[in-house]
Amino acid sequence: MKKTDRNQSAPDLNTEFDVGEEFESDVEAALTEEIEHGSRYDFPELLKVSSGPHIKSPISTSSIMLDVVIALIPAYAWGVLVFGMRALVLGVISVASCVLFEYLFQKITGRANTVRDLSAVVTGMLLAMNLTVGTPYWLPVFGAFFAIVVVKGLFGGIGKNIVNPALAARAFLFIAWPNEMKVFTDAGVKFGVFSSPGADITASATPLTVLSAGDVPQNSIFDLFIGNVGGCIGEVSALFLIIGGVYLLVRRVISWQTPVAYIAVVALAGLIFPRIPGDGVQSMLTEVLSGGVIFCAIFMATDYATTPVAPWGKVIFGVGCGVITVLIRYFGAYAEGASFSILIMNLLVWYIDKLTLPKPFGGGADVKK
Amino acid sequence: MKLTFKGGIHPGEHKNTAKCPIKLYTNPEKVSIPLSQHIGAPCEPLVKKGDEVYAGQKIGDVPEGALGAPVHASVSGKVEKIEVLPDLRGNQIKHVVIANDYKNTVDPSIAPFPKKLSEATPEEIIGVVREAGIVGMGGAGFPAHAKIASAIGKATTVIVNCCECEPFLTCNYRLMIERPTEIVNGAKIVMRALGNARVIVAIEDNKPLAIKKMEALAEKNPSFSVVALKTKYPQGDERRLIYALTGKELPRGKLPADLGCVIFNAETLSAIYNAFAKGLPSIYRTVTVDGNCVASPSNVLVPIGASVGDVVEFCGGLSFLPDKLINGGPMMGNAMWSADLPVTKTTSGILIFSEEFTEMREESNCIRCGRCIKACPSGLAPCYMVASIKIKNYEEAEKFNVMNCVECGSCAFGCPAAIPLVQYFKLAKSEIKNKARAKK
């Protein structure tokens, strides 16, 4: 609202020069006052009212999700490097279908569009990283539908889902298409964009399937660490996953409790009950560095919606994941176990939260009486 | 290890006016003095339309025996009218409107306390503080005399709250730099009323110059100590302050005196000193005027009752179109709907922001990130409380101790989903209080 009451200035000049009503000096006077006094605005009649706080940190759901995407990129890039361009195409299909299903679901159910929060992009990347390079191109589309529509959308959208969408989708694909999902290939055997899974891709054993069969895996610990082994696209390189994890820790997107507790339990079990006879350390490192423990500990067990909110709850969650992973690996029919352990722990989050929410400062409601 | 508390946040400090000396603003055209600027019963007017009043003359007082503090004319002039207007929180309050005669004739009855401090009794000190109408100037507005009276025999520690943890505000800081002796002398007066107490001056460590000044004064007084606290919001909250200094947690419903402490804001102590040494009632206060819309941000000593618009005009007016006007700090301050509202005894800041600063993002789903739990200085679980409140399950919210919430806004500040948590908690607290009242 600009001040308009400037009528007093220069009344006599008008008659002298006869320049009509819109004499320039009126504008000039206003300008001079603006420059000299700076007071160019009045208060509007009514101002905006709201509850405090009136300032806000710039952090938003989409900025957090963007950080997760950034943290996933190194491990994904490594996956593309060792498994070939086919791995990248699978990722693009997975992300695109997640985003599309999110958009369609919200359009059809008449909900606010949340594609911009980037959470569907994260789900798509996580899903693709959980697949092997030999997966047919149509498979992630079904996975994306299950993750976004069944697991997330039907439960109320972002933050409301009970289990991790990407992991639930992986479990679903595993049960629905076991043959397509179990094709693990060796690292360094690259697959082009148009390679067809049945003909070109031959299955090979992963360190865990070897261990599970009672043999000793031949991979060196160094290969396991940098990711020069067979496995899912995104889970093989501990090094690049840890780089992503450190980035998330520095950005304070995740906290250290769950990954540390999870990995520590798996490591301890490997050390105390080695499956490689007589070599606890070798056994420990093999257990930790293979089968997606690092990937799940950093990126899946720290998913906000499906894990506890309080620090001690995060520790309990991590320990629980570790114990279940070890039990599945040692006694289950399935060689891995990381993803199922998290899905099981997801179901217990409400109870863990109930146990571990912080104590109110000065005591709770009953203190007053 | 720096002394501090659990939780809290560190918003940008924005202490832009830290180097702005306090300017005196004496001549508003008129003042509109609310008759309730404190916790307790509102005052009844002692003047009527047409009366000539002196600056410093008592114009309103609470009924005998009720909790409250009198109010005084801040300028001399003629009572134009007594009108009922909504205050900042929307309560209908009587305001005494005085047209300034620009003579500043001071009430002739104003005189220093006749005795030396060492000869004053606690009752006399309480009387002086009460008659001067001094209330907690940090924002709460609890009558200072009642605070002293309730602390006698209980409190052995006087905490001088110089934290000023709210961003933007620097009026307490300037007071410590420019008139530190008033704060120290005010604390001595309170000490005298309490018997022998020690004094802790608590300052956040982002104000090294103030710490230096206060330390230099404290050196001469063995019962004084200056403590630097970690700069973190809300360090100035009384429960957090007591915890940082003593390690004790003050439960809800208890007073600091129950833990042997009594807390005064720096400016309140300066007002107590001025009442005792000069007889001045509480008719002026320092206000930080800042925000991106203010042409020249300043610290101003403002007569109580001057309109916010007048004070802003004194600070060079507005340089951008304002969208939000805040009374107090940006975290806990109240948004004002109009610049015609007066400055009161509890107005520590006038902040004016344009739209790009106050734009609110649309609220989205809680993603359970747990930032609110980490930030909550009261050890609560804001995300769980809000989930109950959204489905109107206030009993559940009460079980999560929503009544312990001090509305500091630390949770809402960092919420990535932009949920207006404090607003939900205010709603739940008033619903729960109303229900409890209905039961009685």
Side-chain angles (χ1 to χ4, degrees):
Chain A
M1 209 182 289
K2 290 231 173 192
K3 280 192 174 171
T4 49
D5 189 24
R6 315 262 183 218
N7 297 334
Q8 290 108 322
S9 55
D12 297 327
L13 294 175
N14 274 347
T15 49
E16 214 171 298
F17 297 104
D18 195 25
V19 287
E21 274 175 51
E22 297 195 24
F23 187 51
E24 297 291 325
S25 74
D26 205 30
V27 181
E28 198 192 300
L31 255 174
T32 312
E33 195 183 312
E34 258 183 44
I35 292 160
E36 283 180 0
H37 299 102
S39 181
R40 292 185 288 147
Y41 295 93
D42 282 338
F43 282 101
E45 212 157 295
L46 286 174
L47 288 141
K48 198 187 278 171
V49 200
S50 72
S51 161
H54 306 287
I55 49 173
K56 210 159 165 1
S57 81
I59 201 156
S60 67
T61 304
S62 50
S63 76
I64 290 169
M65 294 300 164
L66 184 63
D67 271 339
V68 179
V69 170
I70 292 168
L72 285 170
I73 285 173
Y76 207 110
W78 175 264
V80 174
L81 195 72
V82 293
F83 296 120
M85 287 306 283
R86 191 184 164 84
L88 184 64
V89 179
L90 274 169
V92 170
I93 292 171
S94 176
V95 169
S97 26
C98 277
V99 171
L100 183 70
F101 284 127
E102 173 114 336
Y103 176 79
L104 288 177
F105 182 82
Q106 281 160 350
K107 196 91 185 161
I108 290 164
T109 56
R111 284 162 178 271
N113 190 307
T114 56
V115 168
R116 279 155 155 255
D117 69 23
L118 299 181
S119 70
V121 175
V122 171
T123 305
M125 284 183 82
L126 289 173
L127 177 62
M129 291 170 88
N130 258 317
L131 302 172
T132 68
V133 70
T135 313
Y137 281 145
W138 50 266
L139 206 65
V141 181
F142 286 90
F145 176 81
F146 193 79
I148 296 295
V149 176
V150 179
V151 179
K152 192 168 112 179
L154 291 179
F155 280 79
I158 184 167
K160 308 275 187 197
N161 48 301
I162 292 167
V163 293
N164 187 312
L167 283 181
R170 184 189 194 222
F172 165 71
L173 296 178
F174 230 102
I175 292 157
W177 290 281
N179 295 331
E180 283 81 355
M181 286 293 288
K182 274 187 188 160
V183 187
F184 288 105
T185 58
D186 275 329
V189 185
K190 293 186 187 174
F191 293 91
V193 176
F194 300 107
S195 51
S196 65
D200 303 340
I201 296 169
T202 48
S204 74
T206 66
L208 279 183
T209 51
V210 175
L211 265 181
S212 197
D215 297 325
V216 177
Q218 299 306 309
N219 311 77
S220 74
I221 294 301
F222 179 75
D223 279 348
L224 282 172
F225 182 68
I226 63 158
N228 199 14
V229 289
C232 294
I233 294 167
E235 68 175 27
V236 285
S237 173
L239 173 67
F240 289 105
L241 290 167
I242 290 169
I243 289 173
V246 169
Y247 173 78
L248 291 182
L249 279 174
V250 170
R251 300 278 296 168
R252 302 199 179 183
V253 171
I254 62 170
S255 34
W256 58 271
Q257 285 97 337
T258 311
V260 169
Y262 186 175
I263 294 169
V265 168
V266 174
L268 265 178
L271 189 67
I272 300 168
F273 309 107
R275 287 200 285 174
I276 300 170
D279 195 344
V281 176
Q282 177 84 10
S283 184
M284 173 181 87
L285 292 173
T286 310
E287 296 280 3
V288 169
L289 295 175
S290 51
V293 165
I294 303 261
F295 178 59
C296 285
I298 293 174
F299 291 101
M300 297 294 198
T302 56
D303 169 42
Y304 289 147
T306 59
T307 62
V309 284
W312 278 109
K314 290 179 201 284
V315 174
I316 294 174
F317 187 87
V319 170
C321 289
V323 169
I324 297 172
T325 304
V326 171
L327 289 177
I328 293 176
R329 285 185 179 183
Y330 281 46
F331 305 109
Y334 177 50
E336 291 176 8
S339 45
F340 286 105
S341 75
I342 291 173
L343 286 175
I344 292 165
M345 289 306 289
N346 284 163
L347 303 176
L348 302 176
V349 164
W350 160 242
Y351 295 97
I352 298 173
D353 266 358
K354 227 178 165 184
L355 282 175
T356 55
L357 284 181
K359 285 208 172 62
F361 184 97
D366 48 328
V367 175
K368 204 181 169 187
K369 281 166 191 168
Chain B
M1 268 292 279
K2 283 266 165 55
L3 292 177
T4 188
F5 60 97
K6 288 174 214 150
I9 53 167
H10 196 205
E13 290 172 19
H14 301 286
K15 304 277 190 186
N16 313 319
T17 49
K19 291 201 168 124
C20 302
I22 300 170
K23 292 191 281 186
L24 180 63
Y25 173 52
T26 50
N27 44 5
E29 196 184 322
K30 55 182 172 184
V31 292
S32 172
I33 301 171
L35 287 177
S36 177
Q37 303 178 34
H38 51 256
I39 292 174
C43 294
E44 281 307 316
L46 301 174
V47 291
K48 55 185 191 304
K49 187 179 167 181
D51 284 1
E52 291 284 339
V53 294
Y54 298 115
Q57 182 183 335
K58 188 150 88 171
I59 56 168
D61 205 344
V62 290
E64 194 66 36
L67 178 68
V71 291
H72 303 77
S74 53
V75 296
S76 61
K78 194 174 183 180
V79 177
E80 210 169 68
K81 57 187 165 183
I82 295 172
E83 57 180 347
V84 175
L85 290 172
D87 75 351
L88 192 56
R89 291 178 183 82
N91 302 319
Q92 298 291 325
I93 300 286
K94 280 182 195 156
H95 288 61
V96 176
V97 182
I98 302 168
N100 194 353
D101 63 6
Y102 301 101
K103 288 178 195 149
N104 250 333
T105 329
V106 177
D107 192 330
S109 68
I110 286 179
F113 187 69
K115 287 193 263 179
K116 278 186 186 165
L117 178 59
S118 53
E119 289 156 14
T121 64
E123 290 72 33
E124 284 171 335
I125 292 171
I126 290 169
V128 168
V129 173
R130 191 199 131 37
E131 279 310 301
I134 296 166
V135 303
M137 293 169 102
F142 190 80
H145 71 274
K147 200 185 237 180
I148 299 174
S150 71
I152 288 177
K154 280 182 176 173
T156 52
T157 307
V158 180
I159 299 173
V160 185
N161 188 351
C162 303
C163 293
E164 203 161 53
C165 56
E166 280 265 11
F168 288 95
L169 302 190
T170 59
C171 54
N172 278 187
Y173 173 74
R174 287 311 307 179
L175 195 67
M176 286 188 277
I177 300 287
E178 294 176 33
R179 296 184 275 143
T181 46
E182 292 189 4
I183 302 169
V184 171
N185 288 336
K188 281 183 182 169
I189 294 166
V190 175
M191 269 169 79
R192 171 72 198 160
L194 295 180
N196 268 331
R198 68 188 175 121
V199 177
I200 302 178
V201 182
I203 310 175
E204 281 191 338
D205 61 6
N206 61 348
K207 306 174 186 67
L209 192 56
I211 294 172
K212 225 182 225 176
K213 284 242 175 185
M214 298 306 285
E215 266 174 351
L217 284 172
E219 260 176 25
K220 298 175 201 155
N221 302 283
S223 48
F224 274 68
S225 56
V226 178
V227 176
L229 300 166
K230 190 176 165 185
T231 303
K232 192 164 71 168
Y233 178 85
Q235 184 61 74
D237 174 68
E238 64 179 16
R239 284 181 165 74
R240 266 33 77 180
L241 190 54
I242 293 173
Y243 180 81
L245 294 172
T246 69
K248 291 179 197 160
E249 294 189 6
L250 178 64
R252 175 157 63 87
K254 300 265 184 186
L255 291 172
D258 295 324
L259 292 180
C261 300
V262 60
I263 303 178
F264 286 96
N265 171 263
E267 187 151 13
T268 315
L269 289 177
S270 141
I272 290 175
Y273 166 75
N274 282 320
F276 193 85
K278 298 172 192 163
L280 276 181
S282 179
I283 55 172
Y284 273 81
R285 77 150 295 144
T286 46
V287 178
T288 299
V289 185
D290 200 355
N292 71 319
C293 295
V294 179
S296 51
S298 325
N299 283 300
V300 192
L301 192 61
V302 181
I304 303 296
S307 83
V308 166
D310 286 347
V311 177
V312 172
E313 204 53 47
F314 178 71
C315 295
L318 298 166
S319 49
F320 285 99
L321 184 65
D323 183 54
K324 219 180 209 182
L325 173 58
I326 299 156
N327 177 320
M331 294 297 294
M332 283 188 82
N334 291 293
M336 290 187 272
W337 67 90
S338 156
D340 296 335
L341 289 164
V343 168
T344 70
K345 292 173 191 173
T346 52
T347 305
S348 49
I350 297 172
L351 304 177
I352 308 161
F353 296 107
S354 63
E355 203 164 3
E356 71 231 58
F357 274 76
T358 56
E359 202 186 353
M360 295 268 166
R361 272 183 280 136
E362 191 108 347
E363 173 185 354
S364 55
N365 274 4
C366 169
I367 54 170
R368 291 174 41 90
C369 66
R371 280 176 178 75
C372 52
I373 292 177
K374 267 190 205 154
C376 182
S378 300
L380 305 176
C383 53
Y384 273 102
M385 299 197 300
V386 114
S388 325
I389 296 166
K390 275 190 180 176
I391 54 167
K392 298 199 168 70
N393 188 346
Y394 301 115
E395 286 88 16
E396 180 88 358
E398 206 177 349
K399 279 183 201 156
F400 280 115
N401 291 300
V402 71
M403 297 308 276
N404 280 23
C405 170
V406 293
E407 299 169 15
C408 69
S410 300
C411 52
F413 174 81
C415 178
I419 300 170
L421 293 132
V422 177
Q423 187 174 316
Y424 281 111
F425 300 151
K426 282 182 176 170
L427 169 76
K429 284 164 87 171
S430 77
E431 289 283 336
I432 292 166
K433 275 182 199 156
N434 288 344
K435 210 170 262 179
R437 221 171 283 151
K439 258 185 200 166
K440 281 175 190 168

